[in-house]
Amino acid sequence: MLERTDRAEKDARRLRESHDQDIADLRVAVEDLKRGRRPLPSIAALTGVAALVLTLH
C-alpha cells in the first residue's frame, strides 16, 4: 500500500486548488463568449428578408 505523506498531501491539495482555479477561469471565459456571440437565427432571418427585398426591387 502507498503511504500518504504530508508532502504528498500538500502537493495533492495544491493541484486540486490549481485545477479548481483553472475550471473557474474557463467558466468565466465561456460566459464571456456566450455573452458576445450574435444570435445566428436572427441574423439569418434578416439576411433572408434583405435578399427578398433586394430581389423584389
Side-chain angles (χ1 to χ4, degrees):
M1 275 198 161
L2 293 177
E3 184 178 320
R4 291 191 168 215
T5 63
D6 286 339
R7 181 177 178 203
E9 288 291 328
K10 288 178 185 176
D11 288 345
R13 191 176 317 115
R14 189 171 46 246
L15 283 172
R16 276 193 297 274
E17 289 169 358
S18 175
H19 181 257
D20 291 345
Q21 184 60 46
D22 289 344
I23 289 174
D25 292 344
L26 286 173
R27 285 185 175 149
V28 169
V30 167
E31 289 303 317
D32 288 344
L33 288 171
K34 284 181 181 179
R35 227 177 292 117
R37 71 178 180 191
R38 300 262 185 218
L40 292 179
S42 61
I43 292 174
L46 288 174
T47 303
V49 169
L52 181 64
V53 168
L54 289 174
T55 301
L56 294 176
H57 279 139

